[in-house]
Amino acid sequence: MSFSISGKTAIVTGASSGIGLAIGKQFAAAGANVMFADSNEAELLDAIGEQPEDSNIRYFAGDLREKLTIANLLSATIDAFDEVDILVNGARQVEQSDALDPDDGSLDRLLNQNFLPTLRLSQQVARRMIKQGEGRDEDAQLGSIINLSSIAARRSHPDLLAYSIASAALDQMTRSLSVSLAPHRIRVNSIAFGSVMSASLQTTLKDNRDYRDDIEQHTPLGRIAAPSELTEAAQYLASDAAAFMTGQIMTLDGGRTLLDPVAAPVH
């Protein structure tokens, strides 16, 4: 079975750069209708360019930490493409934190940025998928939700307490929602990655060659992955080829989690 998603409609968040942008472009090239969503309209337009009215690409700019924005994103997708079959929750932020500072605030920020919008958008999209499925063949797949997570969810790093907790919450949400939505024929999976050249990692590495060396030395494959290396995995999870796969955390990290030095970077 091929990884076909042609004719399906996907929402991809965090889609103005890095991994989210790569996944959105891959899905569009594979024939899916794609709503690219992110907070900055100028960055979205720069990333995908002006599109003709009959294009299979649209964009939506807004702060997904706001519940009304989530509702508006779903409405804009339905208005453009009539339905939604795939959700890729790619919006995420990496932030260092001080585990001993009670006023650090990073946990609140990352739960509000990385976790809660993902949960709320997944709930709204799942409701729409269930509604779309009314009257369809009882064996038909109704939808796929894909969360982008991190190996930080199961590894400890002294400077990433909040990011690790938010990532672990995302993984548990993946498992819990997969069970709740399975009777509705909606699958929920996660891709946990480590050394991928995301927009935030590019910024971190710009003036820090030692950090790049540290990552590469702690990765058995000896390099940092390109965002495009996650796109095939995402397309597989979105397609009917993964019809019997749900509640799983797929790891793409170049073998990093096979090693376990506590202070190794987990970006």
Side-chain angles (χ1 to χ4, degrees), residues 89 91-92 111 114-116 118-119 122 147-150 153 164-176 188 190-191 249:
N89 287 304
R92 57 191 283 276
L111 286 175
N114 295 0
F115 175 68
L116 288 174
T118 295
L119 174 60
S122 297
N147 302 315
L148 298 190
S149 182
S150 169
S164 297
I165 292 172
S167 298
L170 189 60
D171 284 356
Q172 185 55 44
M173 184 207 81
T174 297
R175 299 183 187 99
S176 296
V188 187
S190 178
I191 301 174
I249 315 299

Side-chain angles (χ1 to χ4, degrees), residues 84-155:
V84 57
D85 308 289
I86 303 161
L87 169 62
V88 179
N89 287 304
R92 57 191 283 276
Q93 176 180 328
V94 182
E95 180 179 336
Q96 292 194 340
S97 55
D98 185 343
L100 298 179
D101 182 0
D103 299 317
D104 176 73
S106 58
L107 181 58
D108 284 344
R109 286 191 294 273
L110 290 188
L111 286 175
N112 285 325
Q113 174 69 34
N114 295 0
F115 175 68
L116 288 174
T118 295
L119 174 60
R120 291 168 180 154
L121 180 57
S122 297
Q123 290 169 328
Q124 292 282 354
V125 168
R127 289 195 193 101
R128 175 66 194 190
M129 289 173 173
I130 292 168
K131 182 178 180 181
Q132 290 171 181
E134 294 174 358
R136 290 190 185 179
D137 187 298
E138 63 179 18
D139 294 325
Q141 297 289 308
L142 298 189
S144 174
I145 296 174
I146 303 162
N147 302 315
L148 298 190
S149 182
S150 169
I151 60 172
R154 43 198 148 122
R155 297 189 59 202

Side-chain angles (χ1 to χ4, degrees), residues 19-260:
I19 298 165
L21 176 60
I23 291 174
K25 286 185 173 181
Q26 167 82 12
F27 282 15
N33 302 312
V34 183
M35 178 66 77
F36 289 70
D38 215 319
S39 58
N40 189 303
E41 183 172 8
E43 290 180 359
L44 277 168
L45 278 172
D46 184 58
I48 64 175
E50 293 287 350
Q51 299 292 324
E53 289 186 6
D54 61 350
S55 171
N56 64 332
I57 291 175
R58 298 285 193 281
Y59 76 89
F60 177 92
D63 185 352
L64 294 179
R65 291 172 297 183
E66 302 293 333
K67 294 179 181 179
L68 180 58
T69 305
I70 289 174
N72 289 340
L73 168 57
L74 182 55
S75 294
T77 304
I78 301 307
D79 287 345
F81 301 121
D82 296 326
E83 60 182 23
V84 57
D85 308 289
I86 303 161
L87 169 62
V88 179
N89 287 304
R92 57 191 283 276
Q93 176 180 328
V94 182
E95 180 179 336
Q96 292 194 340
S97 55
D98 185 343
L100 298 179
D101 182 0
D103 299 317
D104 176 73
S106 58
L107 181 58
D108 284 344
R109 286 191 294 273
L110 290 188
L111 286 175
N112 285 325
Q113 174 69 34
N114 295 0
F115 175 68
L116 288 174
T118 295
L119 174 60
R120 291 168 180 154
L121 180 57
S122 297
Q123 290 169 328
Q124 292 282 354
V125 168
R127 289 195 193 101
R128 175 66 194 190
M129 289 173 173
I130 292 168
K131 182 178 180 181
Q132 290 171 181
E134 294 174 358
R136 290 190 185 179
D137 187 298
E138 63 179 18
D139 294 325
Q141 297 289 308
L142 298 189
S144 174
I145 296 174
I146 303 162
N147 302 315
L148 298 190
S149 182
S150 169
I151 60 172
R154 43 198 148 122
R155 297 189 59 202
S156 298
H157 188 283
D159 298 325
L160 293 177
L161 173 72
Y163 181 62
S164 297
I165 292 172
S167 298
L170 189 60
D171 284 356
Q172 185 55 44
M173 184 207 81
T174 297
R175 299 183 187 99
S176 296
L177 275 185
S178 72
V179 174
S180 298
L181 296 177
H184 301 289
R185 291 166 286 156
I186 299 169
R187 299 180 294 104
V188 187
N189 293 287
S190 178
I191 301 174
F193 55 89
S195 49
V196 177
M197 192 60 76
S198 62
S200 60
L201 184 55
Q202 276 186 317
T203 300
T204 301
L205 297 179
K206 187 175 181 180
D207 299 311
N208 194 338
R209 179 67 214 188
D210 289 343
Y211 192 63
R212 175 190 286 269
D213 291 342
D214 198 18
I215 291 175
E216 292 174 350
Q217 288 168 10
H218 288 97
T219 302
L221 289 182
R223 63 182 178 84
I224 296 172
S228 59
E229 294 186 85
L230 271 71
T231 62
E232 294 290 345
Q235 185 172 334
Y236 165 69
L237 292 175
S239 74
D240 287 348
F244 201 57
M245 185 173 181
T246 195
Q248 301 305 304
I249 315 299
M250 179 186 288
T251 301
L252 295 176
D253 68 348
R256 182 95 64 81
T257 47
L258 301 175
L259 307 176
D260 200 26

